[in-house]
């Protein structure tokens, strides 16, 4: 339920409304929409009499929210959420470029790639230490040592780190990680979502391979219900009948999510296509469609990468693409003004 207040509501009447709702076990989120203050009510609102609230002097309107996601819902929070990470911001008109190797393979590898992508305009270093691999015989990531190498690359470049958390037990190791990635395979690991909701680091939730927008937003809701509002969504393609590409990139997700939620939207054309030559056109398409940033896999030697070489760009390819993406973002802003 959303309570839209009149302009300059009487502070005492507002406080007594808030206290009355809180006594009924309702959690209240305040935000601003079209100049009016909004109260977003979360909890069991079925016993709240909307007519009673509508009749109050300070209330302009009362709306029931049909969607099961509340905190993540744009109706609750009309303004875009901007997630601050170190010196950079995700959302709010920026183009975030998260880049790096699928897997951290060595200190030299990740430091060299971090330096290269930073010079090309990347704002975050993305690399995997704990890897969700389809086969138990594939390289599983360097684990804790990989996290240490990411930290060294962060110390050397200043780039914030985004890396995947696969299991609750790994959380204490993530002290120096800046954004926790929840992978597609864990999008509905509800215990993991609850755990990252109870801590403060921003969380990027990748879309499950067959997840609907609503299921994906409910995963965000899990994190937000725990008190962590710094959630980022990442479209990484969904499973369809097409086998030519690794997945099918759903660019419609960008405008649809923009309508349904206030959370920032990142697009991952690397996992969506599985082919390095498709990363460029789809990244451009994602920027033209209005995403807040991209996640792009970059490897200094894709042919010998331990994971996802075929979809990885070489640093020089990333450099050329990053320049185009940043120019396109500026161009899109000018034609939308
Ligand atoms: C990844 O980002 O490295 C990854 C494994 O992606 P996804 O969870 O989208 O498959
Ligand atoms: Mn990968």
């Amino acid at each position: 339920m959303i309570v839209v207040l009149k302009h300059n509501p009487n502070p005492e009447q507002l406080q007594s409304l808030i206290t009355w709702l809180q006594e009924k076990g309702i959690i209240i989120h305040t935000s601003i929409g079209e100049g009016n203050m909004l109260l977003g009510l979360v909890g069991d609102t079925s016993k709240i009499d909307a007519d009673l609230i509508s009749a109050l002097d300070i209330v302009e309107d009362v709306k029931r929210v049909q969607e099961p996601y509340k905190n993540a819902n744009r109706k609750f929070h009309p303004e875009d959420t901007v997630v601050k990470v170190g010196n950079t911001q995700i959302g709010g008109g920026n183009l975030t470029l998260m880049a790096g190797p699928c897997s951290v393979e060595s200190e030299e590898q990740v430091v060299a790639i971090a330096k290269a992508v930073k010079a090309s305009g990347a704002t975050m270093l993305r690399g995997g230490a704990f890897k969700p691999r389809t086969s138990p015989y594939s390289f599983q990531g360097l684990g804790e040592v990989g996290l240490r190498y990411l930290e060294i690359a962060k110390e050397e470049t200043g780039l914030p780190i985004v890396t995947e958390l696969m299991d609750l037990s790994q959380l204490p190791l993530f002290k120096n990680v800046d954004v926790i990635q929840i992978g597609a395979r864990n999008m509905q690991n509800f215990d993991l979502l609850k755990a990252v909701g109870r801590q403060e680091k921003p969380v990027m939730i990748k879309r499950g391979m067959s997840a609907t927008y609503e299921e994906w937003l409910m995963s965000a809701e899990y994190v937000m219900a725990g008190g962590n509002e710094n959630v980022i969504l990442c479209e990484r393609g969904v499973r369809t009948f097409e086998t030519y590409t690794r997945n099918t990139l759903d660019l419609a997700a960008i405008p649809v999510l923009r309508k349904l939620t206030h959370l920032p939207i990142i697009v991952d054309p690397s996992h969506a296509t599985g082919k390095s030559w498709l990363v460029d056109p789809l990244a451009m398409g994602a920027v033209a469609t209005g995403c807040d940033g991209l996640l792009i896999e970059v490897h200094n030697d894709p042919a010998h990468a331990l994971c996802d070489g075929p979809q990885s760009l070489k640093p020089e390819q990333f450099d050329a693409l990053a320049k185009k993406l940043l120019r396109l973002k500026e161009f899109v802003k000018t034609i939308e003004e």
Side-chain angles (χ1 to χ4, degrees):
M1 188 184 275
I2 297 171
V3 179
V4 184
L5 298 172
K6 288 186 181 151
H7 285 288
N8 302 320
N10 175 295
E12 279 159 26
Q13 288 180 30
L14 175 58
Q15 193 48 54
S16 83
L17 171 61
I18 289 175
T19 310
W20 180 72
L21 290 166
Q22 284 172 337
E23 280 168 5
K24 295 191 176 306
I26 302 295
I27 297 168
I28 299 168
H29 292 258
T30 53
S31 59
I32 305 290
E34 288 172 5
N36 290 55
M37 185 174 168
L38 307 182
L39 304 181
L41 277 44
V42 185
D44 182 8
T45 55
S46 59
K47 292 179 195 72
I48 307 270
D49 185 344
D51 293 337
L52 206 66
I53 299 178
S54 297
L56 297 174
D57 279 349
I58 55 169
V59 174
E60 174 96 28
D61 196 10
V62 177
K63 300 175 191 162
R64 290 246 176 226
V65 176
Q66 305 301 334
E67 296 84 8
Y69 48 92
K70 310 291 176 187
N71 288 292
N73 201 316
R74 176 143 334 248
K75 291 178 186 159
F76 258 58
H77 189 292
E79 317 233 297
D80 286 346
T81 283
V82 178
V83 176
K84 291 186 185 56
V85 182
N87 298 327
T88 93
Q89 295 188 334
I90 306 177
N94 293 309
L95 186 69
T96 297
L97 294 180
M98 303 177 173
C102 178
S103 298
V104 175
E105 297 173 10
S106 69
E107 179 183 330
E108 297 67 35
Q109 175 237 22
V110 73
V111 170
I113 296 173
K115 286 183 178 165
V117 298
K118 182 177 180 183
S120 302
T123 44
M124 301 193 65
L125 172 63
R126 214 293 311 222
F130 297 96
K131 294 303 305 176
R133 303 305 302 277
T134 303
S135 166
Y137 308 118
S138 300
F139 176 58
Q140 302 287 306
L142 294 180
E144 193 171 350
V145 174
L147 284 181
R148 181 66 201 127
Y149 294 159
L150 282 169
E151 288 170 2
I152 293 170
K154 173 176 167 178
E155 283 159 21
E156 297 224 2
T157 59
L159 287 180
I161 303 168
V162 49
T163 194
E164 179 163 353
L165 176 76
M166 281 177 53
D167 188 83
L168 275 177
S169 62
Q170 296 154 358
L171 197 50
L173 304 173
F174 276 53
K175 276 194 215 67
N176 298 316
V177 168
D178 299 280
V179 173
I180 298 175
Q181 173 177 323
I182 300 296
R185 292 155 189 81
N186 267 319
M187 190 205 84
Q188 287 190 315
N189 181 336
F190 299 118
D191 284 337
L192 199 57
L193 296 172
K194 283 184 201 164
V196 294
R198 289 190 294 263
Q199 56 83 60
E200 288 181 345
K201 290 184 193 292
V203 177
M204 181 169 77
I205 308 178
K206 298 193 88 176
R207 183 181 188 177
M209 282 179 214
S210 61
T212 63
Y213 299 136
E214 188 166 296
E215 286 164 341
W216 191 10
L217 288 169
M218 288 310 286
S219 296
E221 191 72 18
Y222 258 95
V223 177
M224 298 176 89
N228 187 351
E229 311 224 314
N230 289 315
V231 177
I232 303 146
L233 299 165
C234 178
E235 160 63 33
R236 44 78 72 206
V238 288
R239 185 64 69 78
T240 66
F241 50 81
E242 183 55 72
T243 53
Y244 186 84
T245 48
R246 185 174 179 180
N247 293 287
T248 297
L249 182 64
D250 178 14
L251 283 183
I254 304 167
V256 173
L257 290 177
R258 196 63 85 206
K259 182 177 165 68
L260 301 181
T261 182
H262 51 89
L263 299 173
I265 307 156
I266 300 290
V267 171
D268 170 358
S270 304
H271 293 90
T273 61
K275 296 186 194 310
S276 61
W277 64 275
L278 282 173
V279 170
D280 182 311
L282 292 183
M284 296 286 280
V287 171
T289 315
C291 69
D292 296 298
L294 293 143
L295 185 170
I296 295 177
E297 287 193 339
V298 178
H299 198 284
N300 45 355
D301 184 8
H304 295 102
L306 296 181
C307 182
D308 287 352
Q311 68 194 35
S312 300
L313 298 188
K314 292 185 184 149
E316 56 273 24
Q317 292 173 313
F318 177 73
D319 188 63
L321 176 58
K323 288 193 173 79
K324 287 205 293 184
L325 296 174
L326 292 165
R327 282 177 59 201
L328 181 60
K329 179 75 178 178
E330 287 314 308
F331 178 68
V332 169
K333 277 190 206 164
T334 62
I335 54 174
E336 281 188 341
E337 269 162 11

